[in-house]
Amino acid sequence: MMCKYLIHYFSGTGNTYHMVKTIERELSNRGNEVDLLNIEKYKDIKLVNYNLHIFCFPVYGFGTPSIMLRYISSLKAEVGCNAAIVCTSAGAEGQSLNHCKYLLNKKGFKVFLTDMVVYTYNWTQILNPQSKEIEERVFKDAEANVIEITKKIINNETYIKKTNIIILILSWPIFIIFHNLARRILGKTFITDDTCISCDKCKDICPAKVIYMYNGKPRWKSNCESCQRCINICPKASIQLSIIKLAIFVTLELVPILIIMDINNYIYHLPIIVNMILYCIMFVANTIIANILISIMEKVGLFKKIFNISYTKKYRRNIAKGFNIK
């Protein structure tokens, strides 16, 4: 019996897109009708027109990308649509599958399958991507895994991937910090070196629309997804991590810890909850101060050159073969 599938997906640098295209191929080869929906190009759709929905996304900070969370919050299944969730990760899904399953169930979906596929990491802002040889091997293994998962989806086989309870507990605070603060800070540490040709490509392909042009050069607002698309897709490999910007953020975020330690050691020993509240307040305040300080320094020629100090220039850029963001 032919079924009609809708794959809702977000892909930062192409790993998830590769998975989605494999799922589409396997479903189509068995006579099913498949539509792909890139959530960056979201349009109003009739969910009831599809027998089954598949949600695909990469894992960021041991959780679901904020762009996917916002998209899910906009949906409402009218008659309990069946759904599957398949994420991509460099090795650990954290709490993403559990969180996404919970949210989709609340929206009226009936999630019968959750699983994760291992791909290469593309966090070029921090780590040098793996070699082409490793990438080819990982993609080959990933494709075989995706085919097996697709068979389960076609057969409506119930499978909920189990996550170690310790990993689940530990991944939640990491995700909360990443989702609310870390991704925003990391976005502000991007710079472009002297090879930038002002082509606007990074601005045009940014899924969060946080890149704007200033004097012909890109700058980043503070709502970055940390998807790494801009640094990996830049035609001149001009986008780098600024060591100085990162150092400013790290230094200012350490100040609250030192202040709280002094208060507890020399003035009054405060309860743990009070220390946590104080730290959160000062952390947010110092993040704002760091943003303002960097914005001012970026307008001074001397500081602009200092900001260009980086270690990512020689890093390999990594976009999955055939990646299409349209």
Side-chain angles (χ1 to χ4, degrees):
M1 177 182 172
M2 187 195 79
C3 289
K4 191 172 182 181
Y5 294 84
L6 178 63
I7 304 178
H8 314 243
Y9 76 93
F10 167 69
S11 184
T13 57
N15 289 352
T16 299
Y17 182 76
H18 175 271
M19 180 179 73
V20 164
K21 294 299 288 184
T22 303
I23 295 173
E24 179 191 32
R25 182 193 70 209
E26 293 301 305
L27 291 174
S28 299
N29 286 347
R30 287 163 175 76
N32 298 293
E33 184 178 343
V34 188
D35 288 337
L36 304 184
L37 176 60
N38 179 355
I39 67 168
E40 296 175 51
K41 317 290 183 182
Y42 173 66
K43 56 186 177 182
D44 194 24
I45 52 173
K46 279 281 187 181
L47 299 178
V48 293
N49 290 342
Y50 297 89
N51 303 101
L52 197 144
H53 298 261
I54 307 173
F55 293 83
C56 300
F57 53 85
V59 172
Y60 295 159
F62 294 107
T64 308
S66 58
I67 189 171
M68 179 59 81
L69 294 176
R70 289 194 300 271
Y71 172 72
I72 291 173
S73 71
S74 71
L75 299 177
K76 183 175 177 58
E78 297 171 18
V79 288
C81 301
N82 288 328
I85 306 167
V86 190
C87 66
T88 61
S89 170
E93 75 275 10
Q95 52 79 51
S96 60
L97 292 175
N98 295 69
H99 188 197
C100 194
K101 176 177 178 290
Y102 169 76
L103 294 176
L104 286 173
N105 284 337
K106 279 190 67 177
K107 286 294 180 176
F109 290 88
K110 295 179 180 177
V111 178
F112 70 94
L113 181 142
T114 65
D115 211 341
M116 184 269 289
V117 181
V118 174
Y119 276 85
T120 51
Y121 59 79
N122 291 342
W123 202 13
T124 309
Q125 189 179 11
I126 303 296
L127 301 170
N128 194 3
Q130 293 131 302
S131 67
K132 271 289 181 183
E133 292 73 22
I134 293 176
E135 180 184 350
E136 288 174 5
R137 186 169 68 249
V138 171
F139 268 61
K140 183 178 179 180
D141 292 341
E143 183 155 346
N145 193 5
V146 173
I147 290 172
E148 290 304 311
I149 292 171
T150 308
K151 289 178 181 177
K152 293 178 183 177
I153 293 173
I154 292 172
N155 295 328
N156 288 313
E157 181 180 334
T158 299
Y159 177 80
I160 304 299
K161 188 177 189 302
K162 293 182 179 179
T163 304
N164 182 287
I165 188 65
I166 296 175
I167 293 176
L168 195 61
I169 293 171
L170 292 176
S171 62
W172 261 109
I174 295 173
F175 168 70
I176 291 170
I177 293 170
F178 179 84
H179 176 76
N180 292 290
L181 287 171
R183 67 184 176 89
R184 302 171 188 271
I185 292 173
L186 286 170
K188 297 296 286 185
T189 63
F190 279 123
I191 51 98
T192 50
D193 59 30
D194 294 336
T195 62
C196 175
I197 57 175
S198 305
C199 67
D200 286 9
K201 189 169 186 178
C202 56
K203 176 177 73 70
D204 295 338
I205 54 88
C206 176
K209 303 303 177 189
V210 299
I211 300 176
Y212 66 99
M213 304 304 288
Y214 180 83
N215 289 337
K217 304 296 180 183
R219 286 192 179 175
W220 285 256
K221 300 176 185 176
S222 59
N223 195 28
C224 179
E225 284 286 344
S226 197
C227 71
Q228 307 294 297
R229 186 183 293 172
C230 59
I231 191 172
N232 282 293
I233 213 168
C234 175
K236 296 294 183 179
S238 303
I239 298 173
Q240 317 295 341
L241 167 74
S242 169
I243 294 175
I244 305 302
K245 283 187 177 183
L246 184 62
I248 289 172
F249 276 110
V250 172
T251 301
L252 286 177
E253 305 309 357
L254 287 175
V255 169
I257 297 176
L258 298 175
I259 292 174
I260 291 171
M261 287 175 63
D262 282 344
I263 291 173
N264 282 271
N265 289 333
Y266 301 111
I267 301 175
Y268 185 75
H269 189 71
L270 299 171
I272 293 176
I273 187 65
V274 175
N275 283 324
M276 292 176 63
I277 292 171
L278 279 175
Y279 178 76
C280 289
I281 293 171
M282 286 189 281
F283 187 96
V284 172
N286 280 12
T287 300
I288 295 171
I289 291 170
N291 275 315
I292 294 172
L293 181 62
I294 288 171
S295 296
I296 294 172
M297 294 171 71
E298 280 180 324
K299 297 176 182 178
V300 181
L302 174 62
F303 287 120
K304 283 197 291 186
K305 290 186 178 181
I306 294 175
F307 281 159
N308 278 356
I309 298 174
S310 180
Y311 59 82
T312 55
K313 181 62 180 177
K314 294 183 179 180
Y315 277 11
R316 189 175 83 86
R317 269 40 177 183
N318 194 11
I319 291 288
K321 185 177 179 181
F323 181 41
N324 184 356
I325 60 174
K326 294 181 180 180

